Amino acid sequence: MTIFHFSRRGSLGWRTAVMTVLLMAAFSPGADAAEATPPQDLAQFCAVPETVLPNGFLKHARDAYRAGKPLRIVAFGTSSSAGTGAASRADAYPARLQADLQERFTLPAEVINKSVGGQSARQMTSRLEDDVVSLEPSLVIWQTGTVDSVGNLQLEDFGRALSQGIEMLEKEGIDVILMNMQYSRRVELLVNYSPYVDMMNAVATQSGAALFDRIEMMRHWASSGRLDFDNMPRAERASRAAKLHECIALQLADMIEKAVRR
Amino acid sequence: MTMPDSSASLPAAASASAPSTKLHAVAPTALPPGVRDLRLDFFRGLALLCIFIDHIPGNRIADYTIRVVGLSDASELFIFISGYAAGLVYMSAVAREGFLFSSLRVWRRVWQLYVAHLFLFVIFTAEVAWTSMKFDNPMYVEEMNIASFLSEPHIAILEALLLKFKPVYMDILPLYIVLLVFFPFALWLIRQSRLLALGLSIALYATARIYHLNLPAYPEDAEWYFNPLAWQLLFVIGAILGASTRTFANSGMDFPVPRNRWLLGAAIAYALFGFGMQFLWEHDLISRVFPHGSEAFIFPTDKTNLSGWRLSNLLALAYITAYFLRADSPMLRWRVFHPLIMCGQHSLNIFCLGVFLSFAGLIVLVEFSDSLAYQLLVNGTGIAIMIGAAALLAWYRAKERMPRKPAEGPAGGANVKSTALGGGSAE
């Protein structure tokens, strides 16, 4: 890290140069959006366009619900599901989802968080047996893709790992919601997500797993100025991260409720 | 599937050129050998602009680049044209200057590309350092692991020098470098027998695909985004076609594949199929149109290993284009296309500039706003800078050659032209 040192002055100069070249003066920065205060109503705040709205068929969860069994869900992800960056694990979406589902259903619902940071999809598949199947859930939220795209890991193998995992879970009578990456324009500058996002879409379509398009949702929340983590003052980060997890939990709960009640 | 046919009938191109000779007779400005095929410049320029636009993540304009045309995209176009141009130029260079000299010229070119790649790598490193300094939100700790190579710079730099470490969007130059390093060998094969060269190329492609072979990359478990063992096929097909142009087609200027209505029909049918599939995929309609699972054969198209869908789509489009757009078409001289042609004529410079500009463009979108107005501004400014730079380069190159002209007189003019071609047209 030390040899790549930038003086503050140098970096400002670069930025100024870019600004000048692009004649920024003609455009007003999108400050209006960034300063918008969140509306009181959470559902309204977390709303996403129809095209991004998750929708899926969750057969086993629905059967469990109809049979009057408790709804058991495993959140199976990496750092962003473990709650890194949120104030605590209790602030991460799995805990919030559990609270939300308990409010919506009379039956007991629990969400067990089995997330470990830094694992690729392939590494996660070797954890499926112990961390998911043995708990006998009817649904697993499999959040993945980040580690693979950051490490530029083999795309084909990523796809195979996902299909194999989903197939195994399906055999065990467990539904899968695939959740893709977190959105950030700054990260997109350095990581090419699109082949991995496409692969997850394809695997979901081909295997019949449901897809929770987190990256597109977050893109929408960012571009509408509601949750833009790219240029966020340090003081706001914790509260906004909590808000993000609330929104993800809400969208998941909507999706699950719709699927089991249909 | 179409390739063995077309290459087997390469000699037929001589007879197929009959109508074009007629055309030349009609047109007063018949193109002498040694004049550039502007189609190559045009489409390479187009590919470069598309690569710039496609490399800005989240760019809404990128939904309207050449990707929409079918299953293949600007990468295939760029590699195909580069192969074609390399075959065209170095084949005649070998005849003129001998094999060793031409090979050294290829490798000098490789050196330029290598240096350019390292330059872009340095820019990327600065980019990562800047971002990791500015963006330390713990929410993205896993994502910012991308900066982990900064903690072992001695290894990262070595891996970059070995072309094993290829940061995001910097995959195409290393591919081009590897392809050109082995190009003299391919050229030698092509000179012996085109069929043999094609056969070996197909065999290598098939072996790589069947046994999942790819070159090693950094960090561990990463892979070359463009597998050179697979992509060489497209380059070699381009090179064979380019090398055959001068040798077989007396007109010297047309695509060395017979003009056949059935072939054209098949190419159009396939291109329409590719367009339809791509359209359905892009608009998330594919699972609605196809019964469950059947689309698995095609999507996602394997870009890393150049899936047959992509390869044949590009070849179909190339055939259709060459059928209708002749090298001497006056359309290529239209003023509106001139900027594209200029970009294509300085492709290495413009390519590097484009990679840098997509970085700069994304920084603007991150730091200010990614509203549609800003996206249009960034795309527009980037394209304007690329065209402006190409124009400056063209002007500079012309000016550099100017003083010789009066001294050599009218006879020398043609001479200057042909050396200029030798020096620059493969690039």
Side-chain angles (χ1 to χ4, degrees), chain B residues 9-21:
Chain B
S9 49
L10 280 178
S15 57
S17 69
S20 72
T21 345

Side-chain angles (χ1 to χ4, degrees), chain B residues 339-369:
Chain B
L340 274 182
I341 288 173
M342 279 192 309
C343 286
Q345 285 174 343
H346 302 91
S347 71
L348 178 60
N349 296 307
I350 300 304
F351 175 84
C352 292
L353 184 65
V355 170
F356 171 77
L357 286 174
S358 28
F359 271 156
L362 190 59
I363 289 174
V364 170
L365 296 181
V366 170
E367 298 290 337
F368 297 96
S369 153

Side-chain angles (χ1 to χ4, degrees), chain B residues 226-288:
Chain B
F226 295 104
N227 183 353
L229 302 175
W231 278 74
Q232 51 81 25
L233 178 59
L234 182 57
F235 194 76
V236 169
I237 290 173
I240 291 175
L241 293 173
S244 309
T245 307
R246 290 253 153 84
T247 322
F248 284 105
N250 288 331
S251 68
M253 294 307 296
D254 264 308
F255 207 55
V257 176
R259 293 170 68 85
N260 178 312
R261 276 174 200 283
W262 291 101
L263 213 50
L264 180 71
I268 290 177
Y270 188 77
L272 287 175
F273 164 77
F275 173 78
M277 290 304 283
Q278 183 64 20
F279 183 85
L280 295 176
W281 174 254
E282 284 288 318
H283 296 81
D284 281 332
L285 297 168
I286 204 140
S287 53
R288 286 185 214 173

